[in-house]
């Protein structure tokens, strides 16, 4: 998979937090948190900004790094977030509870919020597969 930002081989996925796979009660408090949704932008080591290690211990144990893509790093430095639930904006965890389909839409919009030179070279061709011939 190529890096979303410069086209090199991607070895990391961005860990910027989008929201949670959880339920909410009538007061906006999270219940039954099943997991987190992250940016997941594929990136090379040169694009990643390291934010620490996450250690886990189970049967095999191990360590993961927490890395942000250039888009999430800008948000982190400015104190902003990818997405904030309006009814929880003053809470300790303001990110919304989302469904997987909602997260995919937010993720794509976030990725397209800034186009660099590499991304400008990528284009999609729309239509029914017609070809234009030079006459």
């Amino acid at each position: 998979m190529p890096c979303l930002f410069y086209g090199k081989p991607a070895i990391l996925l961005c860990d910027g937090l989008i929201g949670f796979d959880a339920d909410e009660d009538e007061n906006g408090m999270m219940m039954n948190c099943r997991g987190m949704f992250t940016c997941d932008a594929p990136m090379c080591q040169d694009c990643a900004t390291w934010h620490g290690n996450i250690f886990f211990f189970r049967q095999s144990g191990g360590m993961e790094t927490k890395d942000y893509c250039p888009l999430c790093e800008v948000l982190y430095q400015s104190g902003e977030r990818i997405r904030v639930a309006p009814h929880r904006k003053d809470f300790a965890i303001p990110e919304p509870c989302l469904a997987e389909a909602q997260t995919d839409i937010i993720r794509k919009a976030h990725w397209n919020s800034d186009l660099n030179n590499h991304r400008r070279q990528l284009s999609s061709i729309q239509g029914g597969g017609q070809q234009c011939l030079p006459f």
Side-chain angles (χ1 to χ4, degrees):
M1 187 180 328
C3 172
L4 188 66
F5 305 96
Y6 293 105
K8 296 179 184 178
I11 59 170
L12 298 166
L13 296 176
C14 178
D15 298 314
L17 183 60
I18 293 177
F20 293 91
D21 180 11
D23 301 320
E24 285 185 83
D25 67 10
E26 62 278 354
N27 298 318
M29 299 297 288
M30 280 196 299
M31 310 177 321
N32 305 324
C33 189
R34 295 173 288 278
M36 299 184 323
F37 294 117
T38 57
C39 170
D40 288 345
M43 59 186 170
C44 63
Q45 185 68 45
D46 295 338
C47 292
T49 302
W50 178 78
H51 279 267
N53 297 326
I54 301 169
F55 297 93
F56 56 93
F57 299 98
R58 291 248 174 158
Q59 189 174 14
S60 61
M63 180 204 67
E64 286 286 331
T65 61
K66 183 175 179 183
D67 305 286
Y68 288 166
C69 69
L71 299 174
C72 289
E73 179 62 19
V74 168
L75 292 175
Y76 175 80
Q77 292 297 328
S78 65
E80 297 179 37
R81 299 174 187 267
I82 295 173
R83 190 79 167 185
V84 173
H87 64 286
R88 292 209 339 250
K89 65 181 177 182
D90 297 324
F91 284 37
I93 300 174
E95 285 84 6
C97 295
L98 304 164
E100 183 71 38
Q102 294 170 304
T103 305
D104 288 339
I105 294 167
I106 294 167
R107 192 176 283 135
K108 289 173 184 171
H110 172 63
W111 291 355
N112 288 321
S113 65
D114 180 52
L115 297 177
N116 61 19
N117 289 335
H118 169 69
R119 305 269 325 272
R120 282 188 181 94
Q121 293 172 1
L122 304 176
S123 63
S124 61
I125 300 172
Q126 297 184 7
Q130 302 91 344
Q131 294 183 359
C132 297
L133 301 173
F135 290 108

